[in-house]
Amino acid sequence: MIWSSNTSNDGPDNKGDPMAATGRTLPHQPPEPFARNDAGRALYEQRARWLPGLNQPPAPSWEELDESVRERWRENAKA
């Protein structure tokens, strides 16, 4: 990508940052720590709803999971 001369990153306003003008964050960067937890929980609950249709026993609730298992779901939600 070729940047025009008015997008240099030499000033305090960060004109060279393409997201600086919009004030938005990239989709893979959660704006707060709770968003990461919510994403993992949503993915887990979505997949848990599929289990009865696959003739599997129901999954435990999110609160019943060990922290290591919850962390794995949070990581999977980022991908």
Side-chain angles (χ1 to χ4, degrees):
M1 171 182 256
I2 299 174
W3 295 92
S4 65
S5 61
N6 65 347
T7 59
S8 67
N9 195 18
D10 57 359
D13 57 351
N14 292 325
K15 290 186 240 174
D17 182 2
M19 300 305 283
T22 63
R24 293 182 290 172
T25 58
L26 296 175
H28 66 277
Q29 296 174 334
E32 57 188 47
F34 295 111
R36 184 172 180 273
N37 187 57
D38 291 344
R41 183 178 186 150
L43 179 62
Y44 175 78
E45 290 174 350
Q46 175 192 35
R47 304 274 172 90
R49 285 192 297 271
W50 295 346
L51 292 176
L54 299 171
N55 294 323
Q56 297 294 314
S61 71
W62 178 257
E63 289 80 20
E64 295 174 26
L65 298 176
D66 291 335
E67 183 58 33
S68 62
V69 175
R70 285 189 231 168
E71 183 59 30
R72 190 172 72 230
W73 281 99
R74 290 177 195 125
E75 287 294 320
N76 286 335
K78 285 191 333 186

